[in-house]
Amino acid sequence: MIGITMIPAEVFVPKSGTMLWLLVAAMTAVSILFLVILTQVPSRYRKPMVMAATFICGWFYLVEFAIPSPRDAVTANSYLRKAEFNLRLAEHSITPHYGDPRGRVDPKINGGAERIKKARESVDKAHLYLSKAAEEIARIRVLREKDYIRACDEAERFKNRYGLTEKMIERSADDHKIIDLRTKALKKRVSDLGEALSKIKENDEAVMSAAAGLSDSSASKQREARDVLSAAADGVALIRTSISDNFLTKYQPPASNILSVIYGFSIGLGILSLMTIHGKNIAKARPGYYNSIAFYAALIIMAVAAFLNEYWKSAPSFVKPMFQEVLFNGALTSLQATMFSLVAFYIVSAAYRAFRIKSAESALMMAAAFIVMLGIVPVGVAMTSGLHGNLSWLRLDNIQNWIMTVPNMAAQRGMAFGIGVGGLAMALRIWLSLERGSYFDKQM
Amino acid sequence: MDSSTVFIQIGAIVGAICTLAIFSVLFKENPYYRLFEHIFIGLAAGYGVFVTWRDVLYRLWWEPMINRGQWWWALAIAGGGMFYFIYSKKHQWISKLLFGALFGLGAGTFFQGFANTYFPMISASFKSVVPPMDVPLTDAIVASANDLVFVLVLITVMAYFFFSIDHKAKAMRGTASLGRWFLMFAFGAMFGSTVMARMSLFIGRVDFLVSDVPRMFWPYAVGAAILIGLIYFFFVEKKRRLNQDAEPKTG
Amino acid sequence: MAIILYKILSARAGKQLFIRRIPGLSAIDEAVGRGTELGRPMLFSMGLSGLGIVAIQALSILGHIIKVAARYRTRILIPVADPVLYTIAEEAARDAYESEGAPEAFNRDDVMFLTGDQFAYASGVVGILNREKVSSVFYFGDFYAESLILAENGQQVGAIQVAGTPQIMQIPFFIAACDYTIIGDEYYAASAYLSREPTLLGSLVGQDFGKAIILGIIIIGVISAGVLSITTNSAIDAMLIRFINAFGG
Amino acid sequence: MDFLVRLHKIDRRVMYVVLAAVTTTILYTTWLRQPIEVTPEVRKAYQTVEHLPKNKIVLVSIWWGPGTVAENRPQMEAIVRHCFKRGVPVVILPWDQVGSNLAYNRVEQVAKEMGKVYGKDWAAFGFRPAADQAVLGLRSDFQGTFKRDRFNTPLSEIPVMKNVKNWQQIGAIVETTPSGTVGLWINFIGQPYKIPIIYCPTGVMVPEGYNFLDAGQIKGMLPGLIGAAKYEYILKQPGFATRAANALSASHVLIILLIILGNLGYIAAGRRENR
């Protein structure tokens, strides 16, 4: 990526040599100037500025998300939507029971023949829409390809005019074109569309083979057809999202890069905090100051060894194993793994204390934990492995499985909805600066 | 024995010392643990600095700016610099400007994630509670009973989380408390299902100590442990007890 | 979203709203009180939260706790795992002390950064819990496998502990080891419940409506699925499939 | 009665010592057997290895590190033992820095035990980042993608890998992993070339694994540590996994016992107060 807007705004040209350093220095000065100006902002403008910053930043992601799809893919998208709908309809027509993969539609009873016929019709329709969508996507792909080539030519001309060096430009691996943000976005669009095309073809073939199996009324064939149809419907839904990016989507990676860099600067704050606290401990020789010395030693040795290992090409041969085997594998990962394994002990004492039949609630927790704990280990499984046939559902491993997939899953989902909506409300309050509390109420 | 094997063995011994140090906290917080806690934080922080530089600042900032001539990246200093205004009493608000922007981004990404995460969960909850007709009767009953339980649990649990309805209200009392019971049952199940993974972690550490650490380490370790224990008891603990007797307890 | 906004605005206009009791949140004040009685410091951990709405909610709760603590000049230790959050937490803490008129009670060293490494952070907090003999501990934020390490150590030093996290998998461990645990989206109700600020209460009622809508959709979906299993009428089928599909992709 | 009441408040350190002692003792008790029931997914894995051709290599992919070594290493070991027993060549392919050493050391031990020679019967690569590119590359150009083994020896000098040109010389993939990485192999190797994949996830990843199994995308699975124990059971070579499974069972039973004791004490204490 050469620049955010390399071609239209010719100011943003990569530089090299002295000019680069001058500009970097100048931009640093501008940054500092900007910060100085900020210090002079009168206090009554401060709050609105913070609110505006919050609003604009939230807006970027919200709008990117809310705008459905680019102009060029609207038609293709609607075809795909129709195809998906018909696939689901076909799947349903040959499913005797919603959401249950078993059973079959018998053509002889209960309007079965009618249902199979309907499924065939729907599949044919889906096929039709899929081919229409493919046509449409192929058409816009050609257009985007042309755009891409044009943009590349422009970038090439640009490169020659400003004498950019090889290091400063990024080339795409396959066709040696210069890549900047715009060409990159176009290239991605072309390849996305190409991929969508081949995916459509794949799904279409699967659908047609499923259609051939539809008239076979055996349960296994029907189940196979159902699986194919449902997978194809999911596939089509995926294709729709893959071609639905809009004019803001391409700015997401650079935005997240900028964000990462700004975040990266904050590591200094954290380390500074650690170093001052431990520095004070040492300076004042507080009790346990030798621990702080150990902290400093570990921090410095680790950081120095890591940097040497990465960047010092002609380092003596002990540097690499010293860092990798002793500091990283030996010390750091052992400490992490052991700290993690402490949970094994704490889980015992916590269970012992908490699972008491004081109340219905803790008794219930205890019962569920008992069954699940026994249902996973061989000893527990062996306790009830004698149950066969009609009683096999009473086996501990089966009950354990049922608890985890039915009531547990449902309860987790019920909570997840609440947390999702709660988060949404919170996000909304933040975005519109409606949040209250000491931090947010303070005058600036 | 080549030199890399030696380093691997040194690493294993260092690992054993660290492992024992952390395990010692199970008995009591002690100077040995405290020392390794500080070393741990130091190592992690040191490695964190390196990773932040290599994966973020170098790759995304320094490299494009210096090697590819994208001089405008220097402007990021303005953004990063805003953090450091928290140390100034007078100009604190500048950091708030940055935080405001970051809050906004956080909120925006949540909006984006919301639909992707929760819509599929909604549609996956559409369970048909009607027994299927073309399968054996027992299977049909089981299937529909499962779906019924699922929907029931889901609804009662969601009902429990309504904040603006008093749980003392008649219609809510039963539903919400049923929901709470289901929740507790599910929590018990989650607890039970985690035990095995955590136990295997401990087994992993034991296995590490036994099969990866060189055997010759152990006599020294036991000797050192006894020595440290004796020193600790005679010097530190005795002194502490003496002090305790001498001075009245403070704070 | 529109409903939440509407409720916020109508609450600001002065409409009275009812909120049920949430035991875990009522316990916060009790825990702060105990810290004051014992004269030992308290600890507030946000776990591994990075900057996001979970952390902002945790900061709101922190603000409330500090306000109560500042009245009695009780120390509160805040170890943080994310450098950006560390800076914000420091500001939030300072602001809270200032708004209670006790800026001198704020000690910058009480807010400390402890590395972003999950278990290094846990080991540090364990050390602090034990050394400072904390009286009460609050866990609000994103917690993962370290939840039980922290909560059991807090239990061992005899602290009264209150926890809440949106990470569902960690709630059982907090329930087992803490005195009070707030569950699920009670987490997001916390700031409204504690402050009784009309804006927040309104938002809370808005959330209820949001959940009611989801619940309604699910009930309709379940009925549709049932109907789909019985009927063979193609018009109804098409309609219901359309409905179910609306949430599928 | 007093004894019962005391059960109400067992000191946590006593529990920790008992837990550590019981687990460790059982972990190193070789004669103990608990009834093990072999499940179909493990039997399928066994059958797959049993029918592998001897002229193709088995790629053992290592994603784990010290965190899940107790679950993933026995899985790897059980399958490697089976392969060695049948004379199927094994190649270790680590994507984790620490796991690279842990896996190599264990396989070396096993090889020594079973009289297998490095280079002839098995080989190992060093740690590699960027797994997706490597997997994409090895399908068409195995030699060019990897170039050298763990000890920087060119592949052309290692008998077992000399003739591996592309996917056609790969007999099976063994995926030992603590996270959702198996999709890579399924999408790029398993599905297009019909190369069997044996999936060895940790306990928490198991439910997801059954979906792959149902869809036929993997040809067998060792669900967690218990899966490895079951595999050893079929192999009739009880090893670490069997012992570790015993230890797990014991620790579960121990916890349940402790909870029951705690409740007995609680009831007893309640009675005494009432009196």
Side-chain angles (χ1 to χ4, degrees), chain D residues 95-168:
Chain D
W95 313 110
D96 183 283
Q97 228 171 42
V98 189
S100 154
N101 289 335
L102 295 173
Y104 173 79
N105 291 345
R106 181 50 61 89
V107 178
E108 198 198 11
Q109 270 174 29
V110 174
K112 235 182 234 162
E113 228 174 86
M114 300 181 71
K116 299 287 172 182
V117 184
Y118 184 87
K120 196 162 107 2
D121 304 305
W122 71 286
F125 291 111
F127 155 71
R128 277 187 73 95
D132 40 354
Q133 279 156 32
V135 171
L136 279 172
L138 72 87
R139 308 190 295 177
S140 51
D141 183 9
F142 192 87
Q143 305 275 333
T145 309
F146 291 112
K147 296 192 181 79
R148 281 159 195 277
D149 78 342
R150 195 183 160 80
F151 306 104
N152 262 336
T153 320
L155 296 195
S156 53
E157 293 168 22
I158 302 169
V160 71
M161 291 203 277
K162 198 166 55 185
N163 298 322
V164 183
K165 299 276 179 265
N166 51 36
W167 62 270
Q168 286 173 334

